[in-house]
Amino acid sequence: PLITHHCSLPTVHWISPMPTTRVANYEAMFLISQSQPFGEAINGIRHILERYGASILAMRKWDERRLAYEIKKQKRGIYILAYFSCDTKHLGEIERGFNLSEQVMRFLITRADHMTVDEMKAADAHKELEAEAKLRATQPAAAFAAAVTEPPVVPVDEDEEL
């Protein structure tokens, strides 16, 4: 504390410490529906992250798969992987934003302490996402669903030992 004397009474002035911000790197996986516009969903993810001060390090399409069970009457979904950094105190607000988002069916955010920033940036595919968004906007969604192939099912002979 800093003590100053004005007149006859001492006055105590508390010097507040500088506010501390703890920035951490995060890895997030988003599941979005195939039935909605792809570009709008990607922009929606970006908007929520940037609204709460997150800096997007990398974002790319991870995969497009058949879901194990229906979510919001959807049987297939697109997985988007993103790496971002933000102040740890804003993480709850970011999660709340995605919980309220109609564009994201499911999401998972974890700390990315296992990766360096350079490794995260190497996974960036913003340009590919934008190109796919433009392509999906001009072609029907059914064309993309047909293009994604499921792994072949190998018949198993019951007499064979595994």
Side-chain angles (χ1 to χ4, degrees), residues 126-146:
H126 274 98
K127 292 179 183 176
E128 289 83 356
L129 279 177
E130 291 171 7
E132 184 169 345
K134 287 178 185 175
L135 187 63
R136 283 179 181 266
T138 60
Q139 294 183 356
F144 286 97

Side-chain angles (χ1 to χ4, degrees), residues 84-145:
F84 64 94
S85 63
C86 74
D87 190 340
T88 55
K89 68 181 178 184
H90 293 300
L91 188 61
E93 296 166 339
I94 290 172
E95 289 177 340
R96 184 173 186 279
F98 286 119
N99 277 327
L100 296 174
S101 172
E102 294 181 6
Q103 296 167 329
V104 176
M105 294 193 302
R106 297 285 190 272
F107 71 95
L108 177 68
I109 299 175
T110 60
R111 289 278 297 257
D113 296 334
H114 64 285
M115 296 179 73
T116 66
V117 173
D118 291 335
E119 289 173 329
M120 291 179 206
K121 288 182 179 180
D124 190 25
H126 274 98
K127 292 179 183 176
E128 289 83 356
L129 279 177
E130 291 171 7
E132 184 169 345
K134 287 178 185 175
L135 187 63
R136 283 179 181 266
T138 60
Q139 294 183 356
F144 286 97

Side-chain angles (χ1 to χ4, degrees), residues 8-26:
S8 62
L9 297 173
T11 306
V12 178
H13 300 279
W14 290 99
I15 301 173
S16 63
M18 296 276 299
T20 58
T21 58
R22 293 186 331 185
V23 176
N25 295 325
Y26 295 95

